[in-house]
Amino acid sequence: MNDDQRTPPSKVADDRASLTSFLDHQRATLAMKCQGLTGEQLKQRAIPTSQLTLLGLVRHAASVERSWFRFALNAEDVGPLWPGEVDGTAAEFHVEDADADEAFEVWHGECVRARAVASSFASLDDTVDCGGVTISLRYVLTHMIEEYARHNGHADLLREAIDGAVGE
C-alpha cells in the first residue's frame, strides 16, 4: 500500500468543504485497503469467529451510503441492497457467493449518488424529517466520517491479516 493516491483533506477549508473532503478521504482509504487483492482475498476473514471481511465492509459501505443519503436525506423509496440476515448478521457481511466487482461497482455508484444528494442541499444546517426524527446534512456527513473511520480501522487489521500490508 505504498501507492497512496488519496487526496488529503484541506487544512483551511470551510465547514462544508472540510466535511465532504474528509468523507471522500475516508472512502478512498477503504478503497486503498482493498487495492490489489483478489476476490478471494477480499472474502478472507481475519479470525474464524467473525464474519468481517474487506468485501463485507465494501458492501456495508454501499448500504450505509444508500441509507443515509438516498433514503434519509433524499426521501427516496430505496430498499436494501443485500436484504435479510444470516444467523443474526446483516446479509451484506455474508460474502461467500458475492461478486467483488459488482460490490465495488455498487459502492462507487452509491458514493456518486450520495455526493449529488449532499450537493443539492444549500446549507449544512438544512434539515429533513426522517421517520419523525429531524436530521441535518451536517449530522449525516459527520456520522458517515465516523462510520468509515471505524470500519477503516477494521480494514487495517483485515488487510494485514491477508498479506501483511500495513499503511495509513
Side-chain angles (χ1 to χ4, degrees), residues 4 39 46 100 105:
D4 186 350
E105 184 177 317

mmCIF file of all heavy atoms in Angstrom, residues 4 39 46 100 105:
data_model
loop_
_atom_site.group_PDB
_atom_site.id
_atom_site.type_symbol
_atom_site.label_atom_id
_atom_site.label_comp_id
_atom_site.label_asym_id
_atom_site.label_seq_id
_atom_site.Cartn_x
_atom_site.Cartn_y
_atom_site.Cartn_z
ATOM 1 N N ASP A 4 -0.106 5.539 -2.389
ATOM 2 C CA ASP A 4 -1.219 6.285 -1.803
ATOM 3 C C ASP A 4 -1.636 7.401 -2.756
ATOM 4 O O ASP A 4 -0.935 8.393 -2.915
ATOM 5 C CB ASP A 4 -0.814 6.844 -0.455
ATOM 6 C CG ASP A 4 -1.951 7.510 0.287
ATOM 7 O OD1 ASP A 4 -3.035 7.715 -0.310
ATOM 8 O OD2 ASP A 4 -1.771 7.835 1.468
ATOM 9 N N GLY A 39 -10.557 -11.381 -5.531
ATOM 10 C CA GLY A 39 -11.884 -11.564 -4.952
ATOM 11 C C GLY A 39 -11.847 -12.496 -3.748
ATOM 12 O O GLY A 39 -12.525 -12.258 -2.745
ATOM 13 N N ALA A 46 -10.210 -12.381 9.122
ATOM 14 C CA ALA A 46 -9.002 -12.281 9.948
ATOM 15 C C ALA A 46 -9.031 -13.311 11.068
ATOM 16 O O ALA A 46 -8.000 -13.847 11.453
ATOM 17 C CB ALA A 46 -8.849 -10.881 10.519
ATOM 18 N N ALA A 100 -17.115 -9.579 -6.159
ATOM 19 C CA ALA A 100 -16.355 -8.396 -5.738
ATOM 20 C C ALA A 100 -16.517 -7.237 -6.714
ATOM 21 O O ALA A 100 -16.714 -6.089 -6.286
ATOM 22 C CB ALA A 100 -14.884 -8.757 -5.567
ATOM 23 N N GLU A 105 -18.675 -1.819 -7.833
ATOM 24 C CA GLU A 105 -19.469 -1.005 -8.754
ATOM 25 C C GLU A 105 -20.659 -0.376 -8.031
ATOM 26 O O GLU A 105 -20.945 0.817 -8.193
ATOM 27 C CB GLU A 105 -19.945 -1.859 -9.927
ATOM 28 C CG GLU A 105 -20.691 -1.089 -10.981
ATOM 29 C CD GLU A 105 -21.093 -1.976 -12.165
ATOM 30 O OE1 GLU A 105 -20.274 -2.782 -12.617
ATOM 31 O OE2 GLU A 105 -22.253 -1.826 -12.613
#
